[in-house]
Amino acid sequence: MEAVSDTDVQFWMAKAMNWGEDLSCSALLDTSRHLCSLRSFLQQVLQGLQQMSSTSEAMKTFPFVGQFLGRLCWNPCVIADERSQRLLLRCLSCLYSAEPLNAVERKANMWIKDMLCHLISEEEGSVAHTTVKHAGVTPKRYHSEALQKVVSLMTEEVIKSCDGLPNTARCLNGNIHTMSTACVALVTCPEMSPLIGALLKHFMLCGSSCLNQEFIKEINEALISKRLVLEHEAVVNLWCYSPTCLEGAAVSFLESVLSGHETMTQSLDKHVNDSLLPRASAHHCHIFLTVNEIYRNVLTEIDENLAVRALIQVFTACFLQRLTGQKPQDRLPLRAFFPNVTPCLLTPLLTAPSEVPREAWLDHLSWIRSLLQSVTENEEAGEDGRAYQAVFEAWFLLVQCGYWVDTAAELLVLAAPENAKSLLWLLTFFHHPTNRGHQRSQQTAVAREAWTHLRMLFLTRPPPPRHLCAVKELLSSSFSANLVLHLFSNFTVFSHGPVSIITEITDKVLTEAAVKRRALWILALIRCRLNSAATRDDRVYSRLRTLQDTLLQT
């Protein structure tokens, strides 16, 4: 164990005496700056106390310890830090005598009890209660209000330092850096939130705030671990200040979606909006481009993952809703958010189905199909990478606007054979964008075969066993499993058969847990699209909920 040096003792005793219960900004700044070092010193003291055989020996070896710990226990900044408070509690516990041998140890026990009550309880008769009784508040509330008062003064100082004007010369960046440094050890204290928000806003107003990077790192980690709650504006300001924090938030949310399909599939659009990513993206183009690039890269690695596709589609839809809600004079053109896409694709794909009359859906989808088909034909005719890149960009935009593919799948449930061709082509391109080995025609044939079997299965009473077996066989094939599942899920929701028969078919076809999970993601997308529809069909909603509950239970 490293010995506690006399120099360290003198330094920390002087600090503890100078800090006292001072509620000034300068005292809070100085205490916060030294918290990490203080914790190291307290750890040394704790290790020394743990080697002692009695309280008397401890007090003889560390004569300063009682006064030192006592002063720290009354410092609002120190006890607001969980790790420092924990070390104080352990040090006090080491000093307590289970069987006091003399009057000194008995007196020490009484004092230790009062300090412990002050730190962890609100027991009547404790020193804490006696001291703050005149204020009519509990010790916990007293120290919380004291810290809030200091934070309020510092927050006002940050706001006044820039006065909301983009005149960086007037900004006291040295003070801003000092305050952000002081916050590092206390970012998880609820009382610090206003100051953290003001420091982040300072950067947005002045554009040159020199915030401590450790401060930014601690905020980001605390937000991701749910140990810190900030106002929405402050979170967005953090992402504007630090691309690393933005990337961390986007990846963290993606991971939460992939790991929590039970809760996510029930209300995916709500979870996406709660992440603040769509709102921030609508107001800051660079945030949208960054998030988009992250999800785009993930999709290229696992393009068959329906959860990733679902997240991209719902994120884009929520973003577009936020963007549309802005005033026209404040809104950037769509081209700024989708710079790599062929311009003629933007209007048809970024227009939501709810903005197009239902009777015009088929014509709108035929328009989209013809535009995408012309892009793929250029790829087949071209021999350079530009044609392939154009196809990829068109396909990725289709994934982002997958609500049109979902609309095509819905229309296929009751579509006439002469109208099915363009809808099936769109569904096939969505699931199989490349034409490796000229397989697109083969994939389209599989889609038509699946569609034919599903029509017979869902529109014939009783459901023919032959077609049920055929659908199961197509689902078990890795070649077009997601395409077939996409069609099957839409037939379960939008066909007009009794719910009991639909549930029975679903139980017989979807027997594997992995397939059920994938089906839940497709149903989640149908739910999100219905949530934004111009009219509500209670029959469809009820059936969708029944199917989701059935799949979750099994």
Side-chain angles (χ1 to χ4, degrees), residues 147-160:
L147 189 58
Q148 285 176 11
K149 181 179 179 181
V150 182
V151 168
S152 177
L153 293 172
M154 295 173 69
T155 302
E156 288 179 13
E157 184 178 339
V158 173
I159 294 172
K160 290 177 180 177

Side-chain angles (χ1 to χ4, degrees), residues 85 154 325 451 514:
Q85 188 185 87
M154 295 173 69
W451 176 67

Side-chain angles (χ1 to χ4, degrees), residues 44-57:
Q44 285 183 279
V45 173
L46 174 63
Q47 290 172 349
L49 293 175
Q50 289 171 336
Q51 304 300 315
M52 301 295 103
S53 58
S54 67
T55 301
S56 297
E57 183 186 358

Side-chain angles (χ1 to χ4, degrees), residues 433-461:
T434 62
N435 195 25
R436 297 189 188 98
H438 301 286
Q439 292 180 343
R440 190 168 289 140
S441 58
Q442 182 182 354
Q443 291 156 350
T444 304
V446 171
R448 177 168 285 277
E449 180 187 359
W451 176 67
T452 302
H453 287 304
L454 287 167
R455 289 185 76 218
M456 296 301 297
L457 183 62
F458 282 92
L459 305 181
T460 307
R461 298 290 173 269

Side-chain angles (χ1 to χ4, degrees), residues 269 272-273 278-279 313-323:
D269 47 355
V272 170
N273 275 319
R279 176 189 296 189
Q313 178 178 327
V314 175
F315 164 72
T316 307
C318 293
F319 153 74
L320 289 171
Q321 288 174 356
R322 292 285 182 179
L323 190 67

Side-chain angles (χ1 to χ4, degrees), residues 251-286:
V251 171
S252 175
F253 184 64
L254 171 64
E255 291 171 347
S256 70
V257 169
L258 294 177
S259 62
H261 76 274
E262 289 89 352
T263 54
M264 289 293 179
T265 54
Q266 292 295 292
S267 51
L268 183 57
D269 47 355
K270 180 182 183 302
H271 287 289
V272 170
N273 275 319
D274 288 347
S275 74
L276 298 184
L277 291 170
R279 176 189 296 189
S281 296
H283 287 91
H284 303 279
C285 184
H286 71 277

Side-chain angles (χ1 to χ4, degrees), residues 172-192:
L172 305 177
N173 283 338
N175 286 353
I176 297 300
H177 185 272
T178 300
M179 288 186 186
S180 64
T181 302
C183 289
V184 169
L186 298 172
V187 293
T188 57
C189 296
E191 295 86 355
M192 299 299 291

Side-chain angles (χ1 to χ4, degrees), residues 268-341:
L268 183 57
D269 47 355
K270 180 182 183 302
H271 287 289
V272 170
N273 275 319
D274 288 347
S275 74
L276 298 184
L277 291 170
R279 176 189 296 189
S281 296
H283 287 91
H284 303 279
C285 184
H286 71 277
I287 290 182
F288 176 81
L289 294 174
T290 299
V291 175
N292 209 36
E293 187 65 21
I294 291 170
Y295 293 158
R296 171 195 179 105
N297 290 336
V298 172
L299 186 64
T300 58
E301 296 295 326
I302 45 176
D303 65 315
E304 289 292 315
N305 189 296
L306 293 181
V308 175
R309 290 192 179 204
L311 172 58
I312 292 172
Q313 178 178 327
V314 175
F315 164 72
T316 307
C318 293
F319 153 74
L320 289 171
Q321 288 174 356
R322 292 285 182 179
L323 190 67
T324 304
Q326 293 180 3
K327 296 178 181 178
Q329 62 269 27
D330 298 333
R331 194 187 310 152
L332 286 174
L334 289 172
R335 185 77 178 138
F337 297 94
F338 302 92
N340 301 320
V341 180

